[in-house]
Amino acid sequence: MPNTRTKLRAFLIRWVGLVLNLRGVLSVYRLMPFLLQWRRFASRSEIVVPASDLYPCLSDATVMTGFDPHYFFQAAWLARKLAARQPPVHTDIGSAVGMIGVMSAFVPIEFLDVRPLDVALKGLVSKKDNLSSLTLVSDSVSSLSCLHVLDHVGLGRYGDPLDPDGHVKAAGELSRVLAYGGDLYLSVPVGRERACFNAHRVFSVATVRKLFSTLDLSEFALVDDRGRFEPKMDASAMEAYEYACGLFHFVKGGRPASV
């Protein structure tokens, strides 16, 4: 059983964490209703509910279920691509691990990240690698994804080396390792071009296409500034966005004729 000091530490973390974040500060007005609910619940419960076990969650009682449109729709987009194509193995570099774990149920996945994922799960193999200098052999990966990752490379946020050209090197590495005839599924923030140090970069669609100029753009989708998903769009007819999410399906053309 946890000792008193351990319980006190957990108690303080939960309560201090409530106010040391913006959502917590904005939800403080719900604290009194929470305490009243606790008293009513405790009075009706056969189980003792001491103050030391309280875990205030004050910002979850919303009218609609909240979600991050970029991550929700990019996961749905990639899952549908892989379900349709059923590659014998798929390689992902640095994307959201929750999505990767689910997709490994129907497609064997090799997951690479500068911070390797320490899990044991059938259908999923995790290895350490750096997107700026991948150890993969050139032209070797037939199915490859990298979602909401390129925009972070070189900013140091995840322990990677600071490098203003990190995204350029990463794009070159993705293009290099993709096999001829292979598919690259990429997502990045698109809109007013800028670097929001050290969170992420935002690219114009033209910049992304230039970074991957050796590949053919097969399909482009978008999550706009209002969180609406457009599964097929003309990449050359983009409106002015602030922080949208561009979903790019690139294909590497046929192997050049030997000299």
Side-chain angles (χ1 to χ4, degrees):
M1 292 181 63
N3 59 34
T4 302
R5 180 176 296 180
T6 301
K7 291 179 68 176
L8 177 61
R9 179 174 178 272
F11 173 78
L12 290 174
I13 288 174
R14 291 196 296 267
W15 281 86
V16 172
L18 171 66
V19 296
L20 294 184
N21 65 81
L22 182 58
R23 291 183 67 192
V25 171
L26 295 177
S27 301
V28 166
Y29 75 95
R30 295 177 175 173
L31 182 58
M32 186 55 68
F34 163 79
L35 294 173
L36 293 174
Q37 285 183 331
W38 167 48
R39 291 187 61 182
R40 288 200 303 271
F41 179 85
S43 68
R44 302 173 187 175
S45 175
E46 295 180 0
I47 301 174
V48 177
V49 187
S52 60
D53 287 338
L54 294 181
Y55 199 140
C57 299
L58 306 183
S59 58
D60 297 331
T62 56
V63 176
M64 303 290 287
T65 297
F67 66 100
D68 185 318
H70 286 206
Y71 284 83
F72 178 85
F73 286 117
Q74 72 178 14
W77 176 76
L78 178 58
R80 284 159 173 75
K81 292 285 189 181
L82 297 185
R85 291 181 177 264
Q86 288 292 312
V89 64
H90 176 76
T91 300
D92 180 87
I93 303 179
S95 303
V97 296
M99 173 191 71
I100 295 304
V102 171
M103 291 194 304
S104 69
F106 62 89
V107 174
I109 290 183
E110 179 185 44
F111 177 71
L112 308 178
D113 199 296
V114 69
R115 306 170 303 164
L117 179 64
D118 185 16
V119 299
L121 184 66
K122 183 179 179 181
L124 176 60
V125 175
S126 175
K127 300 177 183 178
K128 183 173 182 177
D129 214 335
N130 189 329
L131 183 50
S132 297
S133 54
L134 293 169
T135 58
L136 297 170
V137 176
S138 298
D139 311 319
S140 64
V141 182
S142 60
S143 185
L144 178 64
S145 61
C146 188
L147 304 186
H148 244 295
V149 176
L150 189 74
D151 48 299
H152 300 297
V153 180
L155 298 182
R157 176 177 172 180
Y158 296 108
D160 53 313
L162 289 175
D163 185 352
D165 294 324
H167 62 295
V168 178
K169 295 174 183 175
E173 285 294 272
L174 290 170
S175 299
R176 177 183 68 81
V177 303
L178 187 65
Y180 289 101
D183 299 292
L184 168 63
Y185 308 103
L186 176 88
S187 79
V188 292
V190 294
R192 180 174 60 87
E193 200 156 56
R194 60 200 187 275
C196 303
F197 189 84
N198 66 350
H200 55 255
R201 297 179 179 85
V202 182
F203 304 97
S204 70
V205 170
T207 293
V208 177
R209 297 190 71 171
K210 183 177 179 181
L211 287 170
F212 294 91
S213 59
T214 60
L215 307 181
D216 300 321
L217 181 60
S218 173
E219 189 174 285
F220 176 70
L222 182 80
V223 181
D224 69 16
D225 283 344
R226 296 176 61 184
R228 298 174 302 188
F229 178 55
E230 298 290 346
K232 290 187 179 181
M233 285 193 68
D234 182 354
S236 64
M238 281 284 292
E239 299 177 20
Y241 291 105
E242 180 68 12
Y243 184 70
C245 181
L247 304 165
F248 301 80
H249 177 185
F250 288 109
V251 177
K252 194 170 190 176
R255 184 181 297 274
S258 57
V259 178

